[in-house]
Amino acid sequence: MIIEKYALYVFVASLTIASPGPGVVLSIANSIKYGVSAAIPGIIGISMGMFVISVVAASGVGTIILASPIAFSVLKYVGCAYLIYLAYKLWISKEVGFKSVVSADETISINPTSRFKQGLFITLLNPKPMIFFIALFPQFINMGESYISQFGLLSGTFCALIVIIHFVYAYFSGSIGKWISQSKGHQLINKISSVCFLIFALGIALTS
């Protein structure tokens, strides 16, 4: 995989992970209530949940790639359409429910194992990551190289980025939490992400 392609993947993946969602809210809430170190089990749980999803999604994508170049092309445009849809949903997205999560004591446990499970299941029970992985992976796979090694690199990078970005959110939880809980802050993040996803999707559509 060429460096430029991998760098683009890191950029898109980072943008996806940084967009406010249930996982980000959980990491911030755990950090605010119990401290940065207490948020780590939940962050690891989110990362592990995403790894499971990536394995399931990428194994199906790998089968399609190996089966037919035509099927791969179809998957490419389906992924492109999904990224445009995702850009639209981010653009019109309303304020994230941060305050309700932080104020609800029963939603967050002091027990590290419980926080890990909470992070794991909040990811596994969300269908959107699966769809996103199916849309994302084919765009960065070189059919002339080993699929397994490329999958390992892309999936490992995504999980590592989750840990890094969520830790940053947790570390700066006070100021970031207040900012993204405000309508303007949340909308700004989502609109920037929306434009980037749209540009990325259009670039895929125009690539032969």
Side-chain angles (χ1 to χ4, degrees):
M1 181 179 298
I2 60 176
I3 296 177
E4 291 80 3
K5 200 171 187 179
Y6 179 71
L8 179 60
Y9 173 81
V10 171
F11 172 74
V12 174
S14 298
L15 200 62
T16 304
I17 297 166
S19 298
V24 169
V25 170
L26 178 65
S27 296
I28 293 175
N30 275 329
S31 180
I32 290 176
K33 294 182 72 67
Y34 304 114
V36 177
S37 60
I40 293 177
I43 293 173
I44 295 175
I46 294 170
S47 181
M48 289 299 296
M50 198 62 71
F51 177 74
V52 172
I53 289 175
S54 72
V55 170
V56 174
S59 61
V61 171
T63 301
I64 293 174
I65 291 175
L66 294 174
S68 169
I70 296 177
F72 175 79
S73 296
V74 171
L75 185 62
K76 169 184 174 179
Y77 287 109
V78 170
C80 179
Y82 174 71
L83 290 175
I84 293 174
Y85 168 76
L86 186 63
Y88 169 74
K89 294 294 290 183
L90 283 170
W91 187 267
I92 65 172
S93 176
K94 296 181 180 179
E95 182 177 350
V96 67
F98 173 77
K99 294 179 182 178
S100 60
V101 174
V102 175
S103 62
D105 290 340
E106 66 273 13
T107 63
I108 305 172
S109 172
I110 297 178
N111 187 287
T113 302
S114 297
R115 287 199 302 275
F116 172 83
K117 291 180 180 179
Q118 189 177 33
L120 178 67
F121 288 113
I122 202 174
T123 305
L124 292 178
L125 297 178
N126 186 356
K128 291 183 180 180
M130 175 72 74
I131 301 173
F132 184 81
F133 264 107
I134 292 175
L136 185 67
F137 263 85
Q139 322 310 329
F140 299 96
I141 295 295
N142 187 337
M143 296 179 67
E145 299 178 10
S146 169
Y147 180 81
I148 299 299
S149 62
Q150 291 180 85
F151 158 73
L153 175 63
L154 296 178
S155 180
T157 297
F158 198 94
C159 293
L161 287 171
I162 287 177
V163 174
I164 294 170
I165 293 173
H166 279 247
F167 181 81
V168 170
Y169 267 120
Y171 187 80
F172 296 101
S173 57
S175 57
I176 292 177
K178 292 178 181 178
W179 186 67
I180 70 169
S181 68
Q182 296 173 358
S183 179
K184 290 183 179 180
H186 177 75
Q187 289 177 6
L188 178 60
I189 292 177
N190 279 342
K191 281 181 167 48
I192 292 174
S193 300
S194 175
V195 171
C196 291
F197 280 135
L198 182 60
I199 293 174
F200 179 62
L202 293 177
I204 292 173
L206 295 174
T207 301
S208 59

